């Protein structure tokens, strides 16, 4: 049987993973030849920007300017 998580635990898990992926892609720029990786980076940023609307986002590491930090 698999573990079941609350919505809050799931969002925290998603935030952690998206932030990890963005750290991995931090040096990728729009002008780079790897446009797939840049698109991936933009998608992760957009996901985190949507999650920032969550009432507990600031308490879960999203009290930052994601675009400024990763673009």
């Amino acid at each position: 049987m698999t573990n079941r998580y609350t919505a809050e635990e799931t969002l925290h898990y998603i935030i952690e993973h998206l932030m990890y992926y963005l750290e991995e892609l931090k040096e990728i720029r729009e002008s780079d030849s790897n446009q797939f990786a840049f698109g991936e980076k933009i998608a992760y940023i957009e996901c985190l920007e949507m999650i920032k609307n969550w009432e507990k986002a600031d308490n879960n590491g999203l009290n930052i300017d994601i675009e400024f930090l990763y673009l």
Side-chain angles (χ1 to χ4, degrees):
M1 183 174 188
T2 61
N3 291 337
R4 303 288 293 194
Y5 300 104
T6 66
E8 187 168 336
E9 290 169 328
T10 301
L11 279 169
H12 184 73
Y13 178 79
I14 291 169
I15 291 166
E16 282 183 3
H17 278 76
L18 291 173
M19 297 293 279
Y20 173 79
Y21 300 148
L22 282 172
E23 280 298 319
E24 292 288 308
L25 296 168
K26 194 170 189 172
E27 301 305 317
I28 298 292
R29 301 283 178 245
E30 185 174 16
S31 60
D32 292 345
S33 61
N34 190 347
Q35 288 297 292
F36 179 82
F38 183 72
E40 187 177 11
K41 181 178 177 178
I42 295 299
Y44 296 148
I45 290 170
E46 288 179 4
C47 289
L48 287 172
E49 288 290 340
M50 286 186 270
I51 295 171
K52 280 184 80 166
N53 292 317
W54 176 37
E55 63 192 13
K56 296 181 181 178
D58 285 355
N59 298 337
N60 285 277
L62 291 181
N63 56 342
I64 58 171
D65 184 342
I66 298 164
E67 287 187 19
F68 177 78
L69 190 59
Y70 290 105
L71 276 182

